[in-house]
């Protein structure tokens, strides 16, 4: 099985390199776009080492290509190398200090590393030039929650909601912020309709169950969790762990 996987990766690389590099004058080095296509194919086939090598080459050979930097950082995150991913994005931001997409991605990584104040500054930089940036407003709310500034966080989430009322991430973050702020009834009102959505992720269901328990509905909370023996005594710890609910992995491309 391993041999077949490596053979498949080799075929992917060969096909990609030939199609990307063959010219009338012969073979040339692949450009960033070609390397990223090859990297994506390698990652899809389970060859993360090959993917990282190709993403890294694309980023190194075209340092002004911000999509290449973002994709390399995203791959590093998926591989669990958060520190290097943050370094790649920080260097990209240094080259393009006004790039809103990169600022948001770096802010999300700073949230993951616990540097909420630095993340807040990055999101505020985005909002200075684009006050309607939902990702920046959402990230700003998470940073404020991590700093214990819950009312300000809720204001930021509500601004984001006014721009994107269907966002699960924003609504979930608002509900969690209300829980952290000691307002479980309001949190439950936000989370209940969200948890009923067919596309709601597990963290939304968990936060809704917490809101039920916090309002005295422990049996209902256990039912939501699907475990009649669920231990709800650690609600405070669950809240602490779930504070970083935003998706902090850099996106694969620019949006």
């Amino acid at each position: 099985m391993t041999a077949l996987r490596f053979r498949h990766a080799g075929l992917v690389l060969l096909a990609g390199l030939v199609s990307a590099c063959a010219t009338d004058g012969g073979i040339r080095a692949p450009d960033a776009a070609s390397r990223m296509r090859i990297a994506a194919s390698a990652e899809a086939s389970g060859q993360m080492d090959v993917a990282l090598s190709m993403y890294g080459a694309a980023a190194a050979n075209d340092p002004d290509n911000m999509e290449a930097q973002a994709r390399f950082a995203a791959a590093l995150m998926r591989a669990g190398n958060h520190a290097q991913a943050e370094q790649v994005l920080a260097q990209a931001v240094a080259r393009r200090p006004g790039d809103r997409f990169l600022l948001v991605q770096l802010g999300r990584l700073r949230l993951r590393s616990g540097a909420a104040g630095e993340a807040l500054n990055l999101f505020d930089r985005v909002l200075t030039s684009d006050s309607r940036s939902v990702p920046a407003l959402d990230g700003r709310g998470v940073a404020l929650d991590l700093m214990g500034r819950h009312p300000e966080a809720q204001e930021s989430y509500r601004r984001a909601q006014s721009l994107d009322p269907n966002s699960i991430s924003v609504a979930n973050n608002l509900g969690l912020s209300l829980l952290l702020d000691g307002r479980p009834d309001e949190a439950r009102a936000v989370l209940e309709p969200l948890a009923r959505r067919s596309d709601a992720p597990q963290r939304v269901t968990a936060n809704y169950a917490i809101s039920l328990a916090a309002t005295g509905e422990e049996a209902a909370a256990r039912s939501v969790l699907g475990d009649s023996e669920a231990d709800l005594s650690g609600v405070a710890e669950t809240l602490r762990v779930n504070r970083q609910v935003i998706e902090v992995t850099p996106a694969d491309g620019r949006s």
Side-chain angles (χ1 to χ4, degrees):
M1 181 63 71
T2 301
L4 289 175
R5 287 173 59 193
F6 277 102
R7 180 183 177 188
H8 176 68
L11 290 173
V12 167
L13 285 171
L14 179 60
L17 285 168
V18 169
S19 63
C21 307
T23 66
D24 292 338
I27 301 297
R28 60 175 173 80
D31 58 16
S34 299
R35 285 190 170 98
M36 288 190 287
R37 286 195 298 270
I38 296 165
S41 296
E43 186 173 359
S45 69
Q47 300 302 308
M48 196 63 192
D49 53 343
V50 175
L52 285 173
S53 177
M54 296 306 294
Y55 280 128
N61 284 287
D62 196 353
D64 289 318
N65 185 329
M66 296 299 107
E67 182 178 357
Q69 310 308 313
R71 286 180 180 268
F72 183 34
L76 288 167
M77 285 291 295
R78 289 191 291 272
N81 194 337
H82 301 164
Q84 189 178 353
E86 187 169 344
Q87 182 181 22
V88 168
L89 283 177
Q91 291 173 346
V93 167
R95 296 182 73 90
R96 295 279 185 85
D99 191 301
R100 294 192 293 268
F101 175 80
L102 292 174
L103 288 169
V104 167
Q105 301 312 313
L106 182 57
R108 289 174 170 176
L109 279 175
R110 292 280 162 81
L111 287 177
R112 182 182 289 275
S113 65
E118 294 178 21
L120 180 61
N121 289 335
L122 290 165
F123 295 129
D124 281 342
R125 282 171 60 182
V126 174
L127 293 168
T128 297
S129 59
D130 181 10
S131 63
R132 296 174 62 85
S133 171
V134 172
L137 287 166
D138 194 29
R140 182 176 188 273
V142 174
L144 289 166
D145 269 331
L146 290 171
M147 299 168 73
R149 296 160 59 180
H150 306 307
E152 293 175 77
Q154 291 150 28
E155 179 184 359
S156 192
Y157 295 136
R158 293 191 191 281
R159 284 173 59 193
Q161 272 194 317
S162 70
L163 297 166
D164 188 1
N166 292 318
S167 171
I168 289 180
S169 172
V170 173
N172 183 59
N173 287 344
L174 174 59
L176 185 53
S177 181
L178 290 165
L179 282 171
L180 292 167
D181 200 19
R183 299 157 66 183
D185 290 304
E186 294 175 65
R188 179 175 172 179
V190 170
L191 293 166
E192 185 167 6
L194 196 65
R196 297 183 187 282
R197 287 177 52 167
S198 60
D199 56 345
Q202 180 58 37
R203 68 175 184 273
V204 172
T205 303
N207 289 336
Y208 173 49
I210 292 170
S211 74
L212 288 170
T215 53
E217 299 287 344
E218 292 194 10
R222 291 190 177 93
S223 177
V224 167
L225 293 173
D227 181 1
S228 61
E229 301 299 324
D231 180 8
L232 297 173
S233 61
V235 167
E237 176 64 14
T238 303
L239 284 175
R240 185 193 68 76
V241 170
N242 276 280
R243 288 197 304 182
Q244 294 189 43
V245 295
I246 195 170
E247 293 294 334
V248 298
T249 302
D252 282 342
R254 302 178 68 79
S255 58

